[in-house]
Amino acid sequence: MCSADSMPLHGVLPVLHTPFDNSGEIDAQTLRNEIDWAFQTGADGVVVAMVSEILRLGYQGRKRLAELVCEASEARGFTVISVGAESTTEAIEFAKHAEGLGASAVMAIPPVATSLGAKATRDYFAGIARSISIPLVVQDASGYVGAAIDLSVYTDLLEQFGNHRILFKPEASPLGPNLSKLRDATDGQALIFEGSGGINLVDCYRRGIAGTMPGTDLLDGIVALWWALDDGDEDRIYQLSLPICALVALQLQAGLDGFLSIEKYLLKKRGIFENTIQVQPSGWQLDEETRAEVDRLFARIQAAL
């Protein structure tokens, strides 16, 4: 089981990619290798979320992934499990399951098949929060799916549950200004995480985030960038951030599938993954010209390290 750390959630918390074997089953050993590498690289914890392909894993697959991640994490840091679902009942079931495994926190997106107003969205998140005793990260995943969450939902939840129980991962564009609006509307009480893959990390850090949830593929660069931001080393910050931003821009061109294809390619290139298998159907595949540019930018990031 993984331990729910007594400290508030913070720092660099990479979102894990789910490795699969040739039969389409989750590759437990490769997943453990990915988690080991994350902690060895300096991660403060690990996360199961959108680029873990949770929307394509199915009910049993999501529970199995949460179990494997919590078992492999071995109390080395935070463990955050995404529990968002199309019904409040199912989201609560996923949340209780994660808490039972010892997860540090859960994270949830709103339902994506139904367009909800502010009250229904607030009630959905409140239902999840009331069902567990660990923190809930309220995620706006509108960069991938669904619609942006209204600011009033965030402030109402924070007022109802407090910042030790409700945290935030806003992703609606423009990310930086929206993050500042949430910060200011809550008098700086909201604990906010960004998940732009690194492309907005410098800007968001300067706006007062508690942490970042990038992909695992560029984790060594993101950890080094986070430390440079902590140190206020401006030359180092831009030496690292500029090639990271350029590479993430390539991922963004195809949305979630762009991140999946390129990030799994890089994990295989690093020798952490055996293959680049994704759950199908997938809307975009890495072509040779994009692959060549990814290789050039990845080499620049490694040189900067």
Side-chain angles (χ1 to χ4, degrees), residues 104-245:
S104 308
V106 299
M107 184 162 66
I109 64 170
V112 299
T114 307
S115 180
L116 300 179
K119 181 181 183 302
T121 303
R122 181 175 61 251
D123 291 347
Y124 164 81
F125 284 116
I128 299 171
R130 281 195 298 267
S131 74
I132 54 176
S133 61
I134 58 178
L136 165 65
V137 181
V138 175
Q139 181 185 7
D140 175 338
S142 58
Y144 298 135
V145 293
I149 297 173
D150 190 83
L151 179 63
S152 67
V153 174
Y154 294 141
T155 56
D156 288 352
L157 288 168
L158 188 64
E159 182 178 355
Q160 183 176 355
F161 293 98
N163 68 355
H164 63 294
R165 290 291 316 285
I166 296 289
L167 301 83
F168 304 97
K169 190 186 179 196
E171 296 178 6
S173 296
L175 179 56
N178 283 334
L179 190 154
S180 290
K181 287 179 183 178
L182 174 57
R183 179 201 63 204
D184 295 344
T186 61
D187 296 323
Q189 294 302 303
L191 295 177
I192 306 171
F193 295 81
E194 72 91 39
S196 68
I199 198 168
N200 292 310
L201 177 53
V202 174
D203 178 47
C204 290
Y205 181 94
R206 300 190 196 282
R207 297 174 190 265
I209 56 174
T212 181
M213 296 183 183
T216 310
D217 59 314
L218 300 179
L219 180 59
D220 47 2
I222 297 292
V223 167
L225 176 55
W226 185 263
W227 290 345
L229 286 161
D230 277 348
D231 291 340
D233 187 339
E234 294 294 303
D235 288 340
R236 181 71 168 154
I237 287 167
Y238 291 105
Q239 180 188 36
L240 291 162
S241 68
L242 293 178
I244 289 173
C245 288

Side-chain angles (χ1 to χ4, degrees), residues 16-58:
L16 298 166
H17 292 277
T18 306
F20 300 99
D21 61 26
N22 290 328
S23 66
E25 297 297 319
I26 297 174
D27 183 341
Q29 184 56 57
T30 297
L31 179 64
R32 178 175 286 273
N33 294 344
E34 181 185 8
I35 291 169
D36 287 346
W37 183 77
F39 284 117
Q40 290 163 6
T41 304
D44 295 289
V46 293
V47 181
V48 170
M50 298 294 286
V51 295
S52 309
E53 297 176 83
I54 60 165
L55 296 184
R56 297 170 179 171
L57 283 178

